[in-house]
Amino acid sequence: MSTSPAFAIRQADIADIVFLARHRAWMFRDMGHLPSHLEAPLERATAAYLREAMPRREYIAWVAEGGPDPATAIGGAGVQLRPILPRPRPIRDPDGLELGPEALVLNVYVEPDWRRRGVAEALMRRLLADLDARGIRRIVLHASDEGRRLYERLGFVQTNEMRFEPA
Ligand SMILES: CC(C)(COP(=O)(O)OP(=O)(O)OC[C@H]1O[C@@H](n2cnc3c(N)ncnc32)[C@H](O)[C@@H]1OP(=O)(O)O)[C@@H](O)C(=O)NCCC(=O)NCCS
């Protein structure tokens, strides 16, 4: 477990699903993307997904604990590991192929009272170190306005992804 004076980061387990699901709903709420009547349904649906995906190691999460009760999760981050079709590696490794899996970073969330103390950066650095240790090199995410500077600081760059928006 890595520590700072005020909080600690650890890998999550299924006992943390209640926090992980709540934080996902709060993340969308804080980004202004979730009407209040959908908070509870999103939390329930997320918990149901995580109960399946975490034991399969398809979803891996980390939590930050802090405050007077050390078991209180005050933030978290996760990755969904997805198979990819083999593809050439980017310029840095022109002779190699990328075989996957790809890690999609999701659910980066820190409770409002704990923001701007480096919690998200510590979560992300731990996530990146653990993925590196697993040999996972392809790591993608969709940044919120609030998160963008953090990800840029960690080395994430803009890509050319597009999304279809049905009329
Ligand atoms: C985005 C979010 C996860 C950031 O969490 P956080 O713990 O506040 O992030 P950090 O503390 O690591 O970094 C945030 C800022 O605080 C600054 N900071 C870090 N430690 C600090 C300290 N001790 N004193 C003052 N500032 C500090 C960082 O430099 C950074 O500044 P910048 O935004 O100008 O680059 C959080 O605001 C959040 O949950 N937002 C709502 C949901 C969301 O948008 N999630 C991201 C989805 S992609």
Side-chain angles (χ1 to χ4, degrees), residues 16-28 34 38-54 59 106-107:
D16 297 303
I17 284 176
V18 60
F19 290 112
L20 302 178
R22 185 179 302 155
H23 282 169
R24 177 166 173 81
W26 289 356
M27 176 190 74
F28 283 115
L34 184 67
L38 289 180
E39 262 185 50
L42 177 63
E43 220 175 297
R44 279 196 299 276
T46 299
Y49 165 78
L50 293 175
R51 281 194 294 271
E52 299 275 317
M54 287 178 74
Y59 188 84
L106 295 160
N107 301 330

Side-chain angles (χ1 to χ4, degrees), residues 1-150:
M1 186 183 282
S2 51
T3 57
S4 86
F7 62 88
I9 311 291
R10 64 168 172 80
Q11 192 171 323
D13 59 39
I14 51 172
D16 297 303
I17 284 176
V18 60
F19 290 112
L20 302 178
R22 185 179 302 155
H23 282 169
R24 177 166 173 81
W26 289 356
M27 176 190 74
F28 283 115
R29 178 199 65 193
D30 290 5
M31 293 188 315
H33 294 168
L34 184 67
S36 57
H37 71 281
L38 289 180
E39 262 185 50
L42 177 63
E43 220 175 297
R44 279 196 299 276
T46 299
Y49 165 78
L50 293 175
R51 281 194 294 271
E52 299 275 317
M54 287 178 74
R56 283 202 303 260
R57 316 300 290 162
E58 174 188 310
Y59 188 84
I60 307 171
W62 294 263
V63 288
E65 291 176 332
D69 174 1
T72 303
I74 48 108
V79 294
Q80 192 178 30
L81 297 180
R82 315 190 292 189
I84 56 167
L85 276 175
R87 49 175 295 137
R89 273 202 208 284
I91 298 151
R92 263 190 285 173
D93 187 4
D95 298 327
L97 290 179
E98 216 156 34
L99 302 174
E102 170 181 89
L104 172 64
V105 178
L106 295 160
N107 301 330
V108 180
Y109 182 77
V110 175
E111 293 186 4
D113 288 350
W114 284 86
R115 289 183 191 163
R116 303 195 71 80
R117 301 192 204 183
V119 177
E121 181 166 339
L123 279 161
M124 284 300 299
R125 288 195 185 282
R126 172 67 183 271
L127 175 157
L128 291 172
D130 285 2
L131 292 181
D132 186 55
R134 291 163 189 256
I136 296 168
R137 301 181 50 168
R138 189 174 170 85
I139 303 167
V140 298
L141 56 77
H142 300 106
S144 68
D145 291 342
E146 228 176 334
R148 187 173 310 279
R149 284 161 62 96
L150 164 69

